[in-house]
């Protein structure tokens, strides 16, 4: 039976999340950078809590790790901050040497994994925002990436609920089906074609032939989003937890919302570079 109260809370928190992203993209690179910092700080906090629990994830180390991930994200704007992140890493190694914990090397490994898993994709998002803002007043192409992730997730849910028969990866995520995957992929590709055909700010930003670019982007996002979701499912399943946190009522934690994004962003950067290099090769005189 449908729980109207829980459904309402879930819808409200989802609406706040979507509104926050749309406004951040509308504000251009500064807004999107602040969003990346927020995702990074909350994501790192949840990542440590997932592994060590409220007692094991000490506040000083958590604050220290949030500082490190913020340096990594902001280094997209000012390269010397990358050196500060390297200094953070060396400091974290020194902390491990002097730690009296039973297995300090495990905490070090988790902290470094969090920096890579969460920090590098959000660094890429900030980098995209920086270059998008050189061409147009807002970061709408980055919003297009979010939109296609949502379209893929919605399509996968609808098609999986109606036609789902064959399990995609039952050991990791029992509810996912191949029918849902292909349904979501078709929706994402169709959404990409629609974005590319509009010719609006959603499709612009250093992109040659937006229609073909966003058509391919839909396929890339569908695959990467699925793997991103499965990756977080592996972590949660092995740690025997349902959600990464509870900051978003009805949805779980911030990592539960951006798990697809963390795989999509690196995939889209590679796709963008390969696509534009291929397009450049077609016009070179040799």
């Amino acid at each position: 039976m449908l729980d109207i109260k829980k459904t309402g809370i879930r819808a409200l928190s989802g609406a706040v999340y979507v509104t926050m992203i749309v406004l951040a993209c509308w504000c251009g690179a500064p807004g999107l950078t602040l969003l990346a910092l927020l995702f990074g700080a909350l994501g790192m906090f949840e990542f440590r809590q997932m592994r060590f629990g409220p007692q094991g994830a000490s506040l000083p180390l958590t604050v220290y790790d949030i500082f490190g991930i913020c340096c990594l994200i902001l280094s997209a704007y000012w390269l010397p901050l990358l050196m500060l992140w390297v200094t953070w890493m060396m400091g974290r190694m020194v902390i491990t040497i002097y730690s009296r914990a039973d297995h300090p090397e495990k905490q070090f490994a988790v902290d470094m994994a969090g920096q890579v898993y969460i920090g590098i994709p959000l660094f890429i998002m900030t980098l995209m925002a920086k270059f998008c803002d050189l061409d147009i007043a807002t970061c709408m192409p980055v919003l297009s990436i979010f939109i296609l992730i949502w379209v893929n997730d919605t399509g996968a849910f609808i098609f999986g609920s109606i036609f789902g028969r064959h399990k995609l990866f039952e050991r990791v995520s029992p509810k996912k089906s191949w029918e849902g995957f292909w349904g979501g992929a078709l929706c994402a590709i169709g959404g990409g074609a629609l974005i590319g055909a509009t010719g609006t700010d959603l499709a612009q930003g250093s992109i040659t032939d937006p229609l073909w670019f966003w058509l391919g982007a839909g396929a890339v996002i569908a695959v990467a989003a699925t793997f991103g979701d499965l990756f977080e499912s592996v972590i949660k399943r092995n740690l025997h937890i349902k959600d990464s946190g509870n900051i978003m009522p009805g949805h779980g934690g911030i990592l539960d919302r951006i798990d697809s994004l963390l795989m999509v962003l690196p995939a889209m950067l590679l796709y963008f570079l390969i696509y534009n290099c291929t397009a450049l090769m077609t016009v070179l005189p040799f």
Side-chain angles (χ1 to χ4, degrees):
M1 185 176 178
L2 182 65
D3 190 324
I4 297 178
K5 182 178 180 180
K6 287 184 177 180
T7 303
I9 292 174
R10 178 180 173 86
L12 180 61
S13 61
V16 171
Y17 171 74
V18 170
T19 301
M20 180 175 65
I21 290 172
V22 172
L23 288 176
C25 293
W26 189 263
C27 290
L32 206 52
T33 301
L34 288 175
L35 185 69
L37 290 172
L38 179 63
F39 283 168
L42 293 175
M44 195 67 210
F45 173 78
E46 288 183 357
F47 194 72
R48 299 195 89 251
Q49 291 272 311
M50 287 166 64
R51 180 60 185 86
F52 303 117
Q55 302 301 322
S58 65
L59 181 61
L61 269 182
T62 300
V63 172
Y64 187 68
D65 289 340
I66 289 174
F67 169 76
I69 206 168
C70 288
C71 288
L72 181 57
I73 292 169
L74 290 175
S75 65
Y77 282 97
W78 195 46
L79 195 58
L81 282 175
L82 191 58
M83 300 306 298
L84 188 58
W85 182 84
V86 172
T87 304
W88 167 89
M89 182 181 67
M90 293 189 296
R92 189 64 189 81
M93 294 168 71
V94 172
I95 291 172
T96 302
I97 295 172
Y98 285 95
S99 174
R100 294 182 179 273
D102 292 336
H103 295 284
E105 78 286 353
K106 290 185 178 179
Q107 288 211 16
F108 175 77
V110 168
D111 293 343
M112 291 305 300
Q115 298 288 318
V116 173
Y117 172 48
I118 303 168
I120 290 180
L122 294 176
F123 162 84
I124 292 172
M125 186 169 83
T126 308
L127 197 62
M128 288 179 175
K130 176 183 177 182
F131 284 109
C132 279
D133 220 38
L134 293 176
D135 298 321
I136 56 177
T138 59
C139 294
M140 302 311 282
V142 181
L143 177 60
S144 294
I145 295 175
F146 279 102
I147 290 173
L148 291 181
I149 292 175
W150 299 333
V151 168
N152 175 73
D153 290 347
T154 303
F157 175 77
I158 293 173
F159 277 83
S161 299
I162 298 174
F163 304 108
R165 297 292 184 274
H166 303 86
K167 300 299 182 183
L168 177 66
F169 210 135
E170 190 171 9
R171 179 175 63 83
V172 175
S173 185
K175 293 183 179 180
K176 290 189 181 299
S177 66
W178 279 106
E179 291 82 0
F181 168 76
W182 288 114
L186 287 173
C187 290
I189 293 171
L194 186 61
I195 288 173
T198 60
T200 63
D201 285 347
L202 285 171
Q204 302 304 315
S206 298
I207 297 170
T208 304
D209 198 342
L211 175 59
W212 287 104
F213 176 85
W214 287 108
L215 192 67
V220 171
I221 287 172
V223 174
T226 301
F227 277 111
D229 192 294
L230 289 172
F231 180 78
E232 201 216 4
S233 294
V234 168
I235 296 175
K236 293 191 294 185
R237 196 171 188 83
N238 288 336
L239 294 176
H240 308 289
I241 58 176
K242 183 178 181 293
D243 298 318
S244 65
N246 55 12
I247 193 170
M248 292 183 63
H251 292 269
I254 198 66
L255 287 179
D256 294 321
R257 292 300 91 210
I258 66 170
D259 53 359
S260 297
L261 180 71
L262 295 178
M263 183 73 81
V264 166
L265 287 169
M268 281 299 293
L269 177 63
L270 290 173
Y271 171 66
F272 175 80
L273 294 174
I274 293 170
Y275 181 89
N276 278 289
C277 285
T278 304
L280 181 62
M281 292 296 291
T282 62
V283 298
L284 289 176
F286 53 83

Short mmCIF file of all heavy atoms in Angstrom, two decimals, residues 225-266:
data_model
loop_
_atom_site.label_atom_id
_atom_site.label_comp_id
_atom_site.label_asym_id
_atom_site.label_seq_id
_atom_site.Cartn_x
_atom_site.Cartn_y
_atom_site.Cartn_z
N ALA A 225 26.42 5.46 -15.79
CA ALA A 225 25.53 5.62 -14.65
C ALA A 225 25.19 4.27 -14.01
O ALA A 225 25.12 4.15 -12.79
CB ALA A 225 24.25 6.33 -15.08
N THR A 226 25.00 3.26 -14.85
CA THR A 226 24.69 1.92 -14.34
C THR A 226 25.85 1.37 -13.54
O THR A 226 25.68 0.83 -12.44
CB THR A 226 24.34 0.97 -15.50
OG1 THR A 226 23.22 1.51 -16.22
CG2 THR A 226 23.99 -0.40 -14.99
N PHE A 227 27.06 1.50 -14.08
CA PHE A 227 28.24 1.00 -13.37
C PHE A 227 28.49 1.79 -12.09
O PHE A 227 28.92 1.23 -11.08
CB PHE A 227 29.48 1.04 -14.27
CG PHE A 227 29.61 -0.15 -15.18
CD1 PHE A 227 29.45 -0.01 -16.54
CD2 PHE A 227 29.87 -1.41 -14.66
CE1 PHE A 227 29.57 -1.11 -17.38
CE2 PHE A 227 30.00 -2.51 -15.49
CZ PHE A 227 29.84 -2.37 -16.86
N GLY A 228 28.23 3.11 -12.12
CA GLY A 228 28.40 3.92 -10.92
C GLY A 228 27.46 3.49 -9.82
O GLY A 228 27.84 3.41 -8.64
N ASP A 229 26.23 3.19 -10.18
CA ASP A 229 25.24 2.72 -9.21
C ASP A 229 25.64 1.36 -8.66
O ASP A 229 25.56 1.11 -7.44
CB ASP A 229 23.88 2.63 -9.90
CG ASP A 229 22.74 2.43 -8.90
OD1 ASP A 229 22.72 1.35 -8.27
OD2 ASP A 229 21.89 3.30 -8.77
N LEU A 230 26.10 0.46 -9.53
CA LEU A 230 26.51 -0.87 -9.09
C LEU A 230 27.73 -0.81 -8.18
O LEU A 230 27.84 -1.59 -7.22
CB LEU A 230 26.81 -1.75 -10.31
CG LEU A 230 25.61 -2.20 -11.15
CD1 LEU A 230 26.07 -2.88 -12.43
CD2 LEU A 230 24.71 -3.13 -10.34
N PHE A 231 28.65 0.12 -8.47
CA PHE A 231 29.85 0.23 -7.65
C PHE A 231 29.50 0.59 -6.21
O PHE A 231 30.02 0.00 -5.26
CB PHE A 231 30.81 1.27 -8.24
CG PHE A 231 32.08 1.43 -7.44
CD1 PHE A 231 33.10 0.50 -7.56
CD2 PHE A 231 32.25 2.49 -6.57
CE1 PHE A 231 34.27 0.63 -6.82
CE2 PHE A 231 33.42 2.64 -5.83
CZ PHE A 231 34.44 1.70 -5.97
N GLU A 232 28.62 1.58 -6.05
CA GLU A 232 28.23 1.94 -4.68
C GLU A 232 27.45 0.80 -4.02
O GLU A 232 27.56 0.58 -2.82
CB GLU A 232 27.40 3.21 -4.66
CG GLU A 232 27.41 3.88 -3.29
CD GLU A 232 26.08 4.54 -2.90
OE1 GLU A 232 25.10 4.42 -3.66
OE2 GLU A 232 26.04 5.14 -1.82
N SER A 233 26.68 0.06 -4.81
CA SER A 233 25.94 -1.08 -4.27
C SER A 233 26.90 -2.14 -3.72
O SER A 233 26.62 -2.77 -2.69
CB SER A 233 25.05 -1.70 -5.35
OG SER A 233 24.03 -0.81 -5.74
N VAL A 234 28.03 -2.34 -4.40
CA VAL A 234 29.04 -3.28 -3.91
C VAL A 234 29.56 -2.84 -2.55
O VAL A 234 29.69 -3.65 -1.61
CB VAL A 234 30.21 -3.39 -4.92
CG1 VAL A 234 31.39 -4.12 -4.30
CG2 VAL A 234 29.76 -4.11 -6.18
N ILE A 235 29.86 -1.54 -2.43
CA ILE A 235 30.38 -1.02 -1.15
C ILE A 235 29.35 -1.23 -0.04
O ILE A 235 29.68 -1.75 1.03
CB ILE A 235 30.71 0.48 -1.28
CG1 ILE A 235 31.85 0.69 -2.28
CG2 ILE A 235 31.10 1.07 0.08
CD1 ILE A 235 32.16 2.15 -2.57
N LYS A 236 28.12 -0.82 -0.28
CA LYS A 236 27.08 -0.93 0.75
C LYS A 236 26.77 -2.39 1.09
O LYS A 236 26.54 -2.72 2.25
CB LYS A 236 25.81 -0.20 0.30
CG LYS A 236 25.97 1.30 0.19
CD LYS A 236 24.64 2.01 -0.01
CE LYS A 236 24.01 1.69 -1.32
NZ LYS A 236 22.78 2.48 -1.57
N ARG A 237 26.77 -3.23 0.09
CA ARG A 237 26.46 -4.64 0.32
C ARG A 237 27.54 -5.29 1.19
O ARG A 237 27.25 -6.06 2.11
CB ARG A 237 26.34 -5.38 -1.02
CG ARG A 237 25.66 -6.73 -0.93
CD ARG A 237 25.38 -7.29 -2.32
NE ARG A 237 24.58 -8.49 -2.27
CZ ARG A 237 23.26 -8.51 -2.17
NH1 ARG A 237 22.59 -7.36 -2.10
NH2 ARG A 237 22.61 -9.65 -2.13
N ASN A 238 28.80 -4.98 0.92
CA ASN A 238 29.90 -5.56 1.69
C ASN A 238 29.97 -4.99 3.11
O ASN A 238 30.49 -5.65 4.02
CB ASN A 238 31.23 -5.33 0.98
CG ASN A 238 31.37 -6.20 -0.27
OD1 ASN A 238 30.73 -7.24 -0.38
ND2 ASN A 238 32.19 -5.76 -1.21
N LEU A 239 29.46 -3.77 3.28
CA LEU A 239 29.44 -3.16 4.61
C LEU A 239 28.12 -3.41 5.34
O LEU A 239 27.96 -2.98 6.49
CB LEU A 239 29.68 -1.65 4.50
CG LEU A 239 31.06 -1.22 3.99
CD1 LEU A 239 31.13 0.29 3.84
CD2 LEU A 239 32.17 -1.71 4.94
N HIS A 240 27.19 -4.10 4.66
CA HIS A 240 25.89 -4.47 5.25
C HIS A 240 25.09 -3.25 5.70
O HIS A 240 24.56 -3.20 6.80
CB HIS A 240 26.09 -5.43 6.44
CG HIS A 240 26.93 -6.62 6.12
ND1 HIS A 240 26.50 -7.64 5.29
CD2 HIS A 240 28.20 -6.95 6.48
CE1 HIS A 240 27.45 -8.56 5.19
NE2 HIS A 240 28.50 -8.16 5.90
N ILE A 241 25.04 -2.25 4.81
CA ILE A 241 24.23 -1.07 5.09
C ILE A 241 23.30 -0.81 3.91
O ILE A 241 23.60 -1.18 2.77
CB ILE A 241 25.10 0.18 5.35
CG1 ILE A 241 26.00 0.48 4.15
CG2 ILE A 241 25.91 0.03 6.62
CD1 ILE A 241 26.81 1.74 4.29
N LYS A 242 22.18 -0.16 4.20
CA LYS A 242 21.17 0.10 3.16
C LYS A 242 21.43 1.41 2.44
O LYS A 242 21.34 1.48 1.22
CB LYS A 242 19.77 0.12 3.79
CG LYS A 242 18.63 0.31 2.79
CD LYS A 242 17.28 0.27 3.50
CE LYS A 242 16.13 0.42 2.51
NZ LYS A 242 16.12 1.77 1.90
N ASP A 243 21.74 2.46 3.20
CA ASP A 243 21.97 3.79 2.63
C ASP A 243 23.31 4.34 3.10
O ASP A 243 23.81 3.96 4.18
CB ASP A 243 20.86 4.76 3.03
CG ASP A 243 19.49 4.32 2.50
OD1 ASP A 243 19.42 3.88 1.34
OD2 ASP A 243 18.52 4.41 3.27
N SER A 244 23.87 5.26 2.33
CA SER A 244 25.14 5.87 2.72
C SER A 244 24.96 6.89 3.84
O SER A 244 25.91 7.23 4.54
CB SER A 244 25.78 6.56 1.51
OG SER A 244 24.98 7.65 1.07
N GLY A 245 23.74 7.38 4.03
CA GLY A 245 23.44 8.35 5.07
C GLY A 245 21.96 8.63 5.11
O GLY A 245 21.15 7.88 4.55
N ASN A 246 21.58 9.71 5.77
CA ASN A 246 20.15 10.05 5.88
C ASN A 246 19.89 11.54 5.69
O ASN A 246 18.90 12.07 6.17
CB ASN A 246 19.61 9.60 7.24
CG ASN A 246 20.42 10.16 8.40
OD1 ASN A 246 21.24 11.07 8.23
ND2 ASN A 246 20.20 9.63 9.59
N ILE A 247 20.80 12.21 4.97
CA ILE A 247 20.67 13.65 4.80
C ILE A 247 19.49 14.01 3.89
O ILE A 247 18.95 15.11 3.98
CB ILE A 247 21.98 14.25 4.25
CG1 ILE A 247 21.95 15.77 4.39
CG2 ILE A 247 22.20 13.85 2.79
CD1 ILE A 247 23.28 16.44 4.09
N MET A 248 19.08 13.07 3.03
CA MET A 248 17.96 13.31 2.12
C MET A 248 16.82 12.36 2.47
O MET A 248 16.86 11.18 2.08
CB MET A 248 18.37 13.12 0.66
CG MET A 248 19.36 14.16 0.16
SD MET A 248 19.73 13.91 -1.59
CE MET A 248 18.12 14.17 -2.34
N PRO A 249 15.83 12.79 3.23
CA PRO A 249 14.72 11.92 3.64
C PRO A 249 14.06 11.23 2.45
O PRO A 249 13.72 11.86 1.46
CB PRO A 249 13.74 12.89 4.32
CG PRO A 249 14.59 14.03 4.77
CD PRO A 249 15.66 14.17 3.74
N GLY A 250 13.95 9.92 2.56
CA GLY A 250 13.33 9.15 1.49
C GLY A 250 14.29 8.71 0.40
O GLY A 250 13.96 7.87 -0.43
N HIS A 251 15.49 9.29 0.40
CA HIS A 251 16.48 8.95 -0.63
C HIS A 251 17.75 8.35 -0.05
O HIS A 251 18.47 7.63 -0.75
CB HIS A 251 16.86 10.20 -1.44
CG HIS A 251 15.74 10.73 -2.28
ND1 HIS A 251 15.54 10.34 -3.58
CD2 HIS A 251 14.76 11.61 -2.00
CE1 HIS A 251 14.49 10.96 -4.08
NE2 HIS A 251 13.99 11.75 -3.13
N GLY A 252 18.06 8.66 1.21
CA GLY A 252 19.30 8.19 1.82
C GLY A 252 20.31 9.30 1.93
O GLY A 252 19.98 10.44 2.28
N GLY A 253 21.56 8.98 1.61
CA GLY A 253 22.62 9.95 1.72
C GLY A 253 22.96 10.61 0.39
O GLY A 253 22.39 10.26 -0.65
N ILE A 254 23.91 11.53 0.43
CA ILE A 254 24.29 12.24 -0.79
C ILE A 254 24.98 11.29 -1.76
O ILE A 254 24.83 11.41 -2.99
CB ILE A 254 25.18 13.47 -0.47
CG1 ILE A 254 25.22 14.43 -1.65
CG2 ILE A 254 26.58 13.05 -0.09
CD1 ILE A 254 23.90 15.08 -1.96
N LEU A 255 25.73 10.32 -1.25
CA LEU A 255 26.38 9.36 -2.13
C LEU A 255 25.37 8.48 -2.85
O LEU A 255 25.64 8.00 -3.96
CB LEU A 255 27.37 8.48 -1.35
CG LEU A 255 28.67 9.16 -0.90
CD1 LEU A 255 29.53 8.18 -0.10
CD2 LEU A 255 29.45 9.71 -2.09
N ASP A 256 24.22 8.26 -2.23
CA ASP A 256 23.16 7.50 -2.90
C ASP A 256 22.59 8.27 -4.09
O ASP A 256 22.05 7.67 -5.01
CB ASP A 256 22.02 7.18 -1.92
CG ASP A 256 22.46 6.25 -0.81
OD1 ASP A 256 23.23 5.33 -1.10
OD2 ASP A 256 22.06 6.46 0.35
N ARG A 257 22.71 9.59 -4.06
CA ARG A 257 22.19 10.42 -5.15
C ARG A 257 23.24 10.67 -6.23
O ARG A 257 22.89 10.86 -7.40
CB ARG A 257 21.71 11.78 -4.60
CG ARG A 257 20.49 11.73 -3.70
CD ARG A 257 19.29 11.16 -4.41
NE ARG A 257 19.17 9.70 -4.22
CZ ARG A 257 18.63 8.87 -5.08
NH1 ARG A 257 18.16 9.29 -6.22
NH2 ARG A 257 18.57 7.59 -4.82
N ILE A 258 24.52 10.71 -5.85
CA ILE A 258 25.54 11.07 -6.85
C ILE A 258 26.40 9.88 -7.25
O ILE A 258 27.42 10.06 -7.92
CB ILE A 258 26.43 12.23 -6.35
CG1 ILE A 258 27.28 11.79 -5.15
CG2 ILE A 258 25.62 13.45 -6.00
CD1 ILE A 258 28.36 12.79 -4.75
N ASP A 259 26.01 8.66 -6.85
CA ASP A 259 26.83 7.50 -7.19
C ASP A 259 26.99 7.35 -8.71
O ASP A 259 28.09 7.05 -9.20
CB ASP A 259 26.25 6.22 -6.58
CG ASP A 259 24.78 5.99 -6.91
OD1 ASP A 259 24.17 6.84 -7.60
OD2 ASP A 259 24.23 4.97 -6.46
N SER A 260 25.91 7.57 -9.46
CA SER A 260 26.01 7.51 -10.92
C SER A 260 26.89 8.63 -11.46
O SER A 260 27.72 8.43 -12.36
CB SER A 260 24.62 7.61 -11.56
OG SER A 260 23.80 6.52 -11.18
N LEU A 261 26.73 9.82 -10.90
CA LEU A 261 27.49 11.00 -11.35
C LEU A 261 28.99 10.77 -11.22
O LEU A 261 29.76 11.20 -12.08
CB LEU A 261 27.07 12.22 -10.53
CG LEU A 261 27.75 13.55 -10.87
CD1 LEU A 261 27.28 14.06 -12.22
CD2 LEU A 261 27.48 14.59 -9.79
N LEU A 262 29.41 10.09 -10.16
CA LEU A 262 30.84 9.89 -9.91
C LEU A 262 31.50 9.00 -10.95
O LEU A 262 32.72 9.06 -11.13
CB LEU A 262 31.04 9.30 -8.51
CG LEU A 262 30.62 10.20 -7.34
CD1 LEU A 262 30.83 9.49 -6.01
CD2 LEU A 262 31.36 11.53 -7.38
N MET A 263 30.73 8.19 -11.65
CA MET A 263 31.26 7.41 -12.77
C MET A 263 31.02 8.13 -14.10
O MET A 263 31.84 8.04 -15.01
CB MET A 263 30.61 6.03 -12.81
CG MET A 263 31.14 5.10 -13.89
SD MET A 263 32.80 4.46 -13.56
CE MET A 263 32.42 3.12 -12.42
N VAL A 264 29.93 8.85 -14.19
CA VAL A 264 29.58 9.55 -15.44
C VAL A 264 30.58 10.67 -15.76
O VAL A 264 30.97 10.84 -16.92
CB VAL A 264 28.15 10.11 -15.36
CG1 VAL A 264 27.89 11.12 -16.48
CG2 VAL A 264 27.13 8.98 -15.43
N LEU A 265 31.00 11.42 -14.75
CA LEU A 265 31.87 12.57 -15.01
C LEU A 265 33.20 12.18 -15.66
O LEU A 265 33.58 12.77 -16.68
CB LEU A 265 32.10 13.35 -13.71
CG LEU A 265 30.90 14.17 -13.22
CD1 LEU A 265 31.13 14.68 -11.81
CD2 LEU A 265 30.61 15.34 -14.17
N PRO A 266 33.94 11.18 -15.12
CA PRO A 266 35.16 10.76 -15.83
C PRO A 266 34.87 10.22 -17.22
O PRO A 266 35.63 10.47 -18.17
CB PRO A 266 35.75 9.68 -14.91
CG PRO A 266 35.15 9.93 -13.58
CD PRO A 266 33.78 10.47 -13.85
#
